[in-house]
Each structure stands twice: as structure tokens, then as C-alpha cells.
Amino acid sequence: MTACRVCGDHIGAPSYEVPAPALTSSTTLLDVPTRVYVCGVCGHAQSDDIPDIEAFYDTGYRISLSSENHDQFFAIAADGTIIYRTDHQAALSLRLLDLPKSASILDYGAAKADTLRKMVAARDDLHPHVFDVSSDYAAAWQGWVPEAAQATYTVPETWQKTFEAVMCHFVVEHVADPVGFMRDVHNLLRPGGTFLFSVPDVAGNPGDMAVADHLNHFSQASIVHALTSAGFEVETVDNTSFPGAFFVVARSSAAALDVPGTSAAAVEAAKQARDICAFWDQASVKLKDGVERYAKRKVAIYGAGFYGSWIYGRIGQAVDVVAFLDRNENMKGATHFGIPVLSPEDLPGDAEALFIGLNPLKARAAIAAQPWLERPGLDHVWL
Ligand SMILES: [Zn+2]
């Protein structure tokens, strides 16, 4: 039994449980089981705490730190240029926040704060502030965030109730106590101030349910429940502008708010979360069959991201993985778990099976579009 991280209700049994290894969002393996619990009261899904969480984020978790220009691919624009994730986040954040002139804004859990840097480049009247639970990123803040506007490990007392806006991109899914976290944000905002955050939308990207360091898998219902409990009025829950994520805008309220009870939306969200857990259960069974069929034989894995890495964690010891195939130009020539990452066109001729490690909502179409992945004698194994 465990307590819901959002509403505190007791959740009896996990809806998904598999033995170690668990896989993190930065595709490293942890020697712990994966367990997901679904709350029928508020529609939240959550994973077990990961061991030594403070050290993990202080020194073990580095996003885009290796190179100045490394950024995650987001989409290709109509004119063929590549759109990077932080460019899209910056434009979307400016639109959703609609900040007044000279507003004071805090990037809370900022990492390198690329999104805020791009927002300030577009709006030089803004007063940027940054905070993170690691000092690894301080170098990336120099030159554009004033020294007094930088904080690590603890937020200065003098920052309480001072900001027009606080934003957190892909942070809240990692925290053990999301409502407590949102209350901390509430205390940093001026009355009526705006909180913008993004978190994965597990319904749009079911892989999120199996990510070990994502302790929270929010639904729209559990987002509303958490924010209301922390004293926010919800203004926008957008799950279309950034596929696979929620972008949420809420306003800090001075008055206590009525926290919603179980709603039809929460019941539906819980059902959807349990269905996703069932998907991962059957994916484990399919991989077990695949391992029995291809034990010690040569196979390739399509996708070196989360899904492909998850497959590797399940089959890597039992079969001979000769390559990961991936379209991401940044991974060309790299190795992943010591195995070469190749362009899909370079699928090794001796591979007898291709395990498909893609978002199951998009996998069939992505593979069908690549005729070179159809070859007599090559079996496709789907999640
Ligand atoms: Zn709950």
C-alpha cells in the first residue's frame, strides 16, 4: 500500500510491477524494480521513489550539459529547418505567460535555463532569475543572469512573494511531493502571479509510465487536483502545443480553494493509466517470447531513445544486439550501452530480428515508411 502523491488517498496494489533493471529518463539503468500505482480518487499515476534522489539530481543527472549547442530535436518546420525543443518551449512560454513589461521571472529547476535565455533574448525587459538543486549549471547562467538572481540548493528568503511568474519545465514529474513543491512556488509568487509548468502527458506518450525517475505521471484531472490543493486557480491545461506534454498555466490565489473530489475525468484518467500499465505488461510478455526465439542470435533494436533502451534492458543479456538504429543525427557514430548506433538504412545484414523501440502510438507508421527495414528473413518484434 502507498499514499497518492497528489490527494493522499491510499492505493492498494501497483498496476504495473517489473523486476530490475529500471530505466531513467536519461536512459541509464538502475538496479531497482519499477512499480506504478494508479489513484482512483484523483486520476494520478506514480512510481516508487528512486534511491538517493538528492545525489541523483545533484551530480548524477545532467541535461544537455556536454556541449553548448546540444539541444533536443523537436520538429521540422514547413520550410525544412529543424526546430529545437528549447526554442519551441521559449516561444510557447512567452505566449502562455503573456508577461507584463519588466516582469520578474524565476526559472525554478532551471538546469542550463536555455528556455529562459531565449525568452530574455526575445524580451530584454524581463528580469530573469534561476534556481536549481545542482551547481553543475552555474557556468551556463554567467553573463546573462545577474549573480544576485542565481541560487543553488536553497532559495533565498528574500525571494518570497516577489515574482510575477515562476516557470518549471519538465521538473514536477521528478519530485516526490508535487503538492508541497507547488506550495513552495506559490510562496515565491506575488499575489495573482502566474505559474507555468510543463510535464509529460503519459496518455500521449505511454513510455513515460515506465520512466523510473518520473515519480509522477499526471493526468489533466490530477494536475487540477494538485494545483487547487496548493492554492492555484487553473487557467490553461494545453496538451496539443507540445505533443506528449502538458503545458499548464495557473494563477496564485490568496483565498483557500475547494479541492475537487473524485470527478468523472479522474475516473477516466485512472482507467487510461491502468490501460497503459497493461500495455507495458503485455510488452514484457512479447519481449520474453522474442528472447526465447532469438536467444544468442543477432538482432537489432530500432530506436536508441527510451523505448529502445527499455527493450535493451530486458533482452540485452540474452540475445546478441549488434546495433541500435536511430534517425537522430546527434547519435550518429555514437555507441549506446557499448553498441553502435547506426542509420536505419545501415541495418546490419546478419540481423535476424528487429525489435521496434518506438512510441507504440506512432511505431507502425514510422516503420512502414522505411522500406529498407522490410527484408526476407528479418522478423519485426513489436512492443
Ligand atoms: Zn490521488
Side-chain angles (χ1 to χ4, degrees):
M1 196 161 79
T2 190
C4 175
R5 298 185 193 276
V6 167
C7 74
D9 203 70
H10 291 293
I11 309 171
S15 293
Y16 174 62
E17 184 167 20
V18 287
L23 188 63
T24 70
S25 52
S26 45
T27 65
T28 52
L29 297 169
L30 293 180
D31 192 21
V32 294
T34 305
R35 266 191 291 265
V36 176
Y37 295 84
V38 177
C39 177
V41 173
C42 71
H44 194 57
Q46 64 189 44
S47 301
D48 274 340
D49 289 346
I50 56 169
D52 205 4
I53 192 166
E54 282 171 21
F56 179 74
Y57 292 114
D58 187 356
T59 55
Y61 180 81
R62 293 185 168 85
I63 303 175
S64 300
L65 203 60
S66 47
S67 110
E68 188 61 30
N69 295 315
H70 178 79
D71 198 350
Q72 284 160 301
F73 170 83
F74 176 70
I76 295 176
D79 67 357
T81 54
I82 289 176
I83 302 171
Y84 288 101
R85 173 174 165 144
T86 53
D87 286 324
H88 184 63
Q89 271 176 203
L92 187 54
S93 299
L94 282 173
R95 175 164 70 76
L96 289 171
L97 280 169
D98 193 19
L99 292 164
K101 202 166 164 42
S102 304
S104 183
I105 176 171
L106 170 64
D107 194 345
Y108 191 71
K112 284 174 68 182
D114 282 332
T115 301
L116 181 61
R117 186 166 49 79
K118 288 172 179 174
M119 289 166 71
V120 172
R123 282 277 307 269
D124 64 4
D125 59 297
L126 298 178
H127 294 291
H129 292 65
V130 289
F131 168 74
D132 206 296
V133 292
S134 171
S135 55
D136 285 352
Y137 307 107
W141 304 336
Q142 302 312 321
W144 66 277
V145 185
E147 199 85 22
Q150 304 177 12
T152 48
Y153 302 111
T154 49
V155 176
E157 272 299 309
T158 52
W159 286 14
Q160 303 289 327
K161 304 274 177 218
T162 59
F163 296 102
E164 258 106 13
V166 174
M167 76 177 182
C168 302
H169 288 298
F170 300 102
V171 173
V172 192
E173 67 271 28
H174 296 273
V175 305
D177 174 14
V179 176
F181 179 94
M182 290 175 184
R183 285 200 184 105
D184 290 345
V185 170
H186 192 278
N187 286 336
L188 291 164
L189 284 166
R190 289 182 189 174
T194 309
F195 179 28
L196 166 71
F197 69 94
S198 54
V199 287
D201 169 14
V202 68
N205 184 11
D208 187 71
M209 200 64 98
V211 178
D213 54 320
H214 288 183
L215 309 187
N216 300 292
H217 312 287
F218 284 96
S219 63
Q220 177 149 353
S222 71
I223 286 170
V224 171
H225 197 112
L227 282 168
T228 313
S229 306
F232 286 99
E233 287 172 64
V234 181
E235 292 199 337
T236 307
V237 181
D238 177 334
N239 67 349
T240 56
S241 297
F242 194 117
F246 289 112
F247 272 66
V248 183
V249 181
R251 198 159 298 282
S252 104
S253 166
L257 301 168
D258 287 335
V259 176
T262 301
S263 62
V267 171
E268 179 56 33
K271 182 188 171 299
Q272 200 168 22
R274 291 192 191 103
D275 287 348
I276 294 169
C277 290
F279 161 79
W280 283 103
D281 270 336
Q282 62 83 37
S284 293
V285 172
K286 281 186 188 167
L287 285 185
K288 224 180 201 170
D289 292 348
V291 162
E292 280 166 18
R293 224 169 330 140
Y294 296 101
K296 308 259 187 270
R297 289 156 68 181
K298 293 189 189 325
V299 309
I301 297 175
Y302 191 101
F306 182 80
Y307 293 92
S309 305
W310 187 84
I311 291 172
Y312 179 79
R314 303 276 132 207
I315 71 170
Q317 303 300 320
V319 303
D320 181 7
V321 181
V322 293
F324 283 96
L325 307 183
D326 204 291
R327 297 229 72 86
N328 185 344
E329 291 291 316
N330 286 332
M331 298 201 73
K332 229 179 214 166
T335 60
H336 190 45
F337 301 117
I339 292 158
V341 182
L342 308 176
S343 287
E345 294 84 345
D346 299 329
L347 169 68
D350 56 356
E352 294 181 58
L354 183 62
F355 286 72
I356 312 295
L358 293 173
N359 179 344
L361 303 176
K362 299 171 179 171
R364 297 271 171 182
I367 297 302
Q370 302 181 74
W372 48 86
L373 299 175
E374 295 286 349
R375 196 174 68 196
L378 179 77
D379 189 16
H380 289 175
V381 182
W382 303 86
L383 290 181

